[in-house]
Amino acid sequence: AQKVTQAQTEISVVEKEDVTLDCVYETRDTTYYLFWYKQPPSGELVFLIRRNSFDEQNEISGRYSWNFQKSTSSFNFTITASQVVDSAVYFCALSEKADNFNKFYFGSGTKLNVKP
Amino acid sequence: GAVVSQHPSRVICKSGTSVKIECRSLDFQATTMFWYRQFPKQSLMLMATSNEGSKATYEQGVEKDKFLINHASLTLSTLTVTSAHPEDSSFYICSARSRGLSNQPQHFGDGTRLSIL
């Protein structure tokens, strides 16, 4: 079974629109980490956020915000007032204490196209 | 912040060639490094866990004789794709984690784009 599901394969928005990228995860572990990474066309992974399972407080960083809800096993990512530079593939990932946080389970990614 | 350097960033070579990719942790010691593979428009899949001074642990379905991993020091792990064929063309990314607490974050290299002709 897929541990991390990103149901949105591709999203296209016009600049300045807000956009939310969905992430649903599955784990039996009570201690785990959730991550979001950005992968621009050049390929490198850009770390955006790490959240542990005991911290459900939502976080805002500039135009980025994250909504972590354990009740629905979701860790959604919202970009406010999107810009063309936000165009990339975004990955949600999970690591679990069960395997010493060694494995990263990545979602399939959501490609975001921001048009001018 | 912690930096992981991966080299080369791009390789184009003929079928049958063996290709070595290096992953270095520049400002921290990494007892454990990880190798991922990403096919075009797909997600990253863990190939193997590289442990300093011991054999690598491979994920199911990954051929250990095809993808040789050596972790000779606390700052360097290498992945060698032996006798590469076109189907091995992919984007390979390494990551490393600092010694110490197991909940330290992983730091990713910039990846190596391998193209086998």
Side-chain angles (χ1 to χ4, degrees):
Chain A
Q2 190 81 358
K3 280 187 175 282
V4 179
T5 301
Q6 293 179 256
Q8 304 150 307
T9 305
E10 188 165 352
I11 300 175
S12 292
V13 298
V14 177
E15 209 170 17
K16 297 184 183 178
E17 284 185 15
D18 298 347
V19 59
T20 295
L21 309 182
D22 297 333
C23 174
V24 174
Y25 64 94
E26 182 179 332
T27 179
R28 293 182 179 179
D29 222 321
T30 56
T31 305
Y32 52 90
Y33 285 93
L34 295 164
F35 304 79
W36 275 96
Y37 285 88
K38 175 182 180 179
Q39 187 178 43
S42 49
E44 75 273 18
L45 284 177
V46 179
F47 170 78
L48 297 178
I49 190 171
R50 180 179 79 152
R51 176 54 51 85
N52 75 58
S53 53
F54 299 108
D55 182 5
E56 281 195 78
Q57 189 173 5
N58 291 330
E59 184 160 337
I60 298 175
S61 177
R63 296 185 296 108
Y64 295 168
S65 62
W66 291 268
N67 185 349
F68 177 27
Q69 291 196 347
K70 290 177 74 171
S71 60
T72 55
S73 296
S74 65
F75 187 42
N76 296 338
F77 172 34
T78 297
I79 301 175
T80 304
S82 60
Q83 299 176 1
V84 173
V85 293
D86 295 328
S87 297
V89 179
Y90 290 86
F91 289 98
C92 179
L94 164 76
S95 69
E96 302 170 313
K97 185 178 181 181
D99 49 23
N100 209 28
F101 306 107
N102 276 335
K103 289 187 179 182
F104 265 46
Y105 298 94
F106 284 90
S108 54
T110 297
K111 184 177 182 181
L112 175 63
N113 302 306
V114 182
K115 302 175 182 179
Chain B
V3 176
V4 172
S5 172
Q6 193 171 335
H7 177 80
S9 58
R10 186 176 182 102
V11 180
I12 302 173
C13 57
K14 294 181 179 179
S15 185
T17 307
S18 291
V19 178
K20 181 184 284 188
I21 303 170
E22 293 186 349
C23 181
R24 293 182 185 272
S25 56
L26 296 185
D27 54 359
F28 64 97
Q29 292 184 328
T31 47
T32 309
M33 292 185 172
F34 307 88
W35 289 95
Y36 293 83
R37 182 175 184 176
Q38 185 183 28
F39 289 107
K41 298 185 179 181
Q42 293 190 24
S43 188
L44 291 85
M45 299 299 293
L46 179 66
M47 297 174 64
T49 302
S50 170
N51 304 297
E52 188 266 337
S54 64
K55 292 183 178 180
T57 304
Y58 290 82
E59 295 299 302
Q60 192 173 8
V62 177
E63 299 175 60
K64 59 182 180 181
D65 295 330
K66 174 76 172 177
F67 300 100
L68 300 179
I69 292 173
N70 185 288
H71 194 152
S73 76
L74 286 171
T75 59
L76 173 65
S77 175
T78 60
L79 168 68
T80 300
V81 183
T82 61
S83 187
H85 292 284
E87 58 265 29
D88 298 323
S89 299
S90 189
F91 190 62
Y92 294 87
I93 305 179
C94 72
S95 71
R97 197 164 69 194
S98 308
R99 292 178 84 178
L101 297 178
S102 62
N103 62 351
Q104 289 295 309
Q106 290 190 24
H107 305 283
F108 286 86
D110 285 347
T112 297
R113 201 167 298 278
L114 176 62
S115 300
I116 308 299
L117 305 177

